[in-house]
DNA sequence: TAGATTGTTAATCGATTAACAATC
DNA sequence: TAGATTGTTAATCGATTAACAATC
């Protein structure tokens, strides 16, 4: 049974991948059903929260029994849109861009890696994992729709690159540039991976070991 | 004027690096003072929130005037402990580990890169940016205190590596392994960079463009 | 049927926003 | 001094947790 989804909070969305990961772990250990309270205990969460989270999208459990793990994995996968492959490109073939080509399992995360782009003449034509690095200006001429761009360019180029890509019709960005983009662009969807912010938070937590939450 | 810090919420801590980054940007543009309302407008935030956030740590502004940007940068830097260098090691010298050695400005984020470790005999002794890859077992014999470990090992090894490192006295982790650790360890500090979770969230947001926040 | 556990409503808790007195 | 803007208290909003009736 599925629900009309209106507006789901970021907190809920943020927990879905965590549930997904943990349920796969349980499945791999031969477990095929689980109750919200037992899942909560294992994940160090609250059972009410798990039920509330899932019920944003529909009723996927069975009273007196719990949740079927295979089914729940399918459901979350479908909510996160992991089976419908979207075209993604990597913009910026520096160390980070290249690492992502190798390390990210795009296929299983809802994406088809469509191409890798850069503007450095020295590396154009080189191949990474069977992806030939192409000139970024080629994006304009693509007939295929690109759904998402991964921004791996240096911070100084983040803004102008995004201007260019939005002109090419791309509205969704996985942003590794340490540059805040939502400030300058309306109507784009951005998921930030600000590694330096993350490390600063760790620095704070390390200092305030017993005073931070 | 500084305050007795009791317990600051993760939401507040999470915004500090963002303020820090933006204030440096303003400074680089020759601006030396700003009011909370003007900062809020530029950052698409709420002025009350900025004042509340800062006042968790003390009163750093001046009525009728606003905040001195240089001073505020210093204050936040000190709150985040960015000037007191802590020893950090990278564990796992695969593509990601190597990329972090090159791309992360540890020095300016509160850390001194102390060493890079792996257990792959083929790469031991190799040098990355003047860091020689050392055998992970050497960590046990270190006389120097290691404050933080960056976990860049394959997911399957995350748990056992963490067990080993905690035995060596390391309690703070920057975790890139896609393995939840807090579930298994008490009393450790972890900052997760779950790239696959991040991409799944983007997948969700892309699908639900107009229904997600 | 009885026991277990969901789905959902209600209560609580915390974070964000508004208001305003203090003060530079 | 008058105007501006902080620091801080109070009000609102949203997210988490508890409770329980519905039901498998």
């Amino acid at each position: 049974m599925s629900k009309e989804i209106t507006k789901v909070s970021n907190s809920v969305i943020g927990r879905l991948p965590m549930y997904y990961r943990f349920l796969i772990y349980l499945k791999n250990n031969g477990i095929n059903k689980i109750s919200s309270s037992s899942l909560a205990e294992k994940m160090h969460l609250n059972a009410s929260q798990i039920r509330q989270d899932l019920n944003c999208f529909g009723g996927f459990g069975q009273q007196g029994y719990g949740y079927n793990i295979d089914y729940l994995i399918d459901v979350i996968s479908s909510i996160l849109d992991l089976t419908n492959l979207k075209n993604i490109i990597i913009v910026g073939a520096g160390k980070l861009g290249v690492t992502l080509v190798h390390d990210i399992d795009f296929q299983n995360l809802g994406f088809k890696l469509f191409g890798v782009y850069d503007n450095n003449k020295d590396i154009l034509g080189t191949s990474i994992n069977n992806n030939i690095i192409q000139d970024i200006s080629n994006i304009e001429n693509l007939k295929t729709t690109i759904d998402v761009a991964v921004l791996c360019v240096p911070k100084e180029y983040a803004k102008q690159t995004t201007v260019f890509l939005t002109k090419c019709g791309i509205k969704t960005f996985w942003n590794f540039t340490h540059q805040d983009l939502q400030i300058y662009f309306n109507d784009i969807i951005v998921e930030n991976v600000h590694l330096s912010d993350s490390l600063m938070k760790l620095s704070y937590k390390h200092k305030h070991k017993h005073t931070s939450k």
Side-chain angles (χ1 to χ4, degrees), chain A residues 5-35:
Chain A
I5 301 172
T6 46
K7 206 121 187 161
V8 178
S9 78
N10 277 327
S11 320
V12 174
I13 299 163
R15 284 189 292 268
L16 293 178
M18 191 171 57
Y19 295 142
Y20 184 73
R21 215 156 7 93
F22 201 82
L23 290 165
I24 286 176
Y25 162 78
L26 293 176
K27 178 192 165 96
N28 289 341
N29 281 268
I31 301 168
N32 50 44
K33 71 135 272 194
I34 197 159
S35 69

Side-chain angles (χ1 to χ4, degrees), chain A residues 50-66:
Chain A
I50 294 175
R51 295 203 301 279
Q52 288 275 30
D53 284 355
L54 294 173
N55 278 86
C56 291
F57 305 98
F60 308 119
Q62 192 173 315
Q63 277 103 328
Y65 173 82

Side-chain angles (χ1 to χ4, degrees), chain A residues 108-200:
Chain A
N108 281 312
L109 295 167
F111 296 92
K112 158 106 189 65
L113 181 54
F114 184 85
V116 180
Y117 296 85
D118 207 300
N119 65 355
N120 176 355
K121 297 265 183 288
D122 295 346
I123 59 171
L124 295 182
T126 324
S127 179
I128 310 162
N129 247 11
N130 300 320
N131 295 276
I132 294 165
I133 302 178
Q134 300 166 70
D135 194 294
I136 191 170
S137 62
N138 291 349
I139 298 174
E140 279 179 302
N141 311 315
L142 288 178
K143 293 284 187 299
T144 316
T145 303
I146 304 301
D147 299 292
V148 179
V150 186
L151 293 172
C152 297
V153 300
K155 183 174 182 174
E156 312 83 80
Y157 297 105
K159 225 167 138 178
Q160 67 191 67
T161 305
T162 309
V163 168
F164 171 72
L165 293 170
T166 52
K167 278 184 186 152
C168 297
I170 301 173
K171 300 277 182 194
T172 304
F173 298 91
W174 200 22
N175 177 29
F176 284 79
T177 68
H178 300 197
Q179 170 70 248
D180 286 316
L181 294 173
Q182 264 130 334
I183 296 178
Y184 306 109
F185 298 87
N186 303 322
D187 210 40
I188 64 172
I189 296 168
V190 182
E191 174 72 24
N192 290 308
V193 181
H194 286 331
L195 294 181
S196 56
D197 288 22
S198 170
L199 190 52
M200 287 188 217

Side-chain angles (χ1 to χ4, degrees), chain A residues 94-117:
Chain A
K95 287 213 161 35
L96 181 62
V98 171
T99 299
L100 295 178
V101 173
H102 283 100
D103 286 6
I104 300 290
D105 186 2
F106 289 104
Q107 177 81 25
N108 281 312
L109 295 167
F111 296 92
K112 158 106 189 65
L113 181 54
F114 184 85
V116 180
Y117 296 85

Side-chain angles (χ1 to χ4, degrees), chain A residues 49-96:
Chain A
Q49 181 169 64
I50 294 175
R51 295 203 301 279
Q52 288 275 30
D53 284 355
L54 294 173
N55 278 86
C56 291
F57 305 98
F60 308 119
Q62 192 173 315
Q63 277 103 328
Y65 173 82
Y67 297 88
N68 178 285
I69 287 180
D70 275 342
Y71 176 56
L72 203 49
I73 288 172
D74 279 357
V75 159
I76 297 178
S77 168
S78 149
I79 293 169
L80 291 172
D81 202 37
L82 304 186
T83 41
N84 165 40
L85 294 187
K86 299 159 286 289
N87 286 319
I88 194 167
I89 60 172
I90 291 182
V91 182
K95 287 213 161 35
L96 181 62

